[in-house]
Amino acid sequence: VSQSRYQIQIKLERAISELPEKQRFVFMLRYYEALDYEKIASITGTTVGGAKANYHQAVKKMTELIQLD
């Protein structure tokens, strides 16, 4: 079943809104602002490893949420 760009965007925004705050913030910085993990770590006050973990957890959670939708 083909989905329109609009439908995909709605699903993406819904999934982002359901993320925990820190994961959502890290995802937005990485995906939309294209910041590297070092910069994200500096902004969020965490380690580079912590920033990577938050991003990957966000992507995993969003994938699950989108597939359920």
Side-chain angles (χ1 to χ4, degrees):
V1 176
S2 179
Q3 296 183 16
S4 72
R5 292 184 127 215
Y6 177 74
Q7 290 170 318
I8 293 168
Q9 185 66 30
I10 294 293
K11 285 184 176 187
L12 181 61
E13 289 176 9
R14 187 177 301 137
I16 290 170
S17 73
E18 294 186 31
L19 292 173
E21 184 177 353
K22 189 161 193 170
Q23 287 179 15
R24 182 172 54 246
F25 187 52
V26 169
F27 179 83
M28 302 287 275
L29 292 174
R30 179 76 176 159
Y31 188 79
Y32 290 110
E33 301 296 327
L35 297 180
D36 60 32
Y37 290 114
E38 290 79 11
K39 185 71 173 170
I40 294 170
S42 174
I43 291 169
T44 60
T46 188
T47 63
V48 171
K52 287 180 180 181
N54 275 293
Y55 179 76
H56 290 289
Q57 288 169 355
V59 170
K60 181 179 177 184
K61 176 80 170 169
M62 287 176 50
T63 301
E64 293 168 0
L65 291 169
I66 290 170
Q67 288 175 348
L68 290 174
D69 196 6

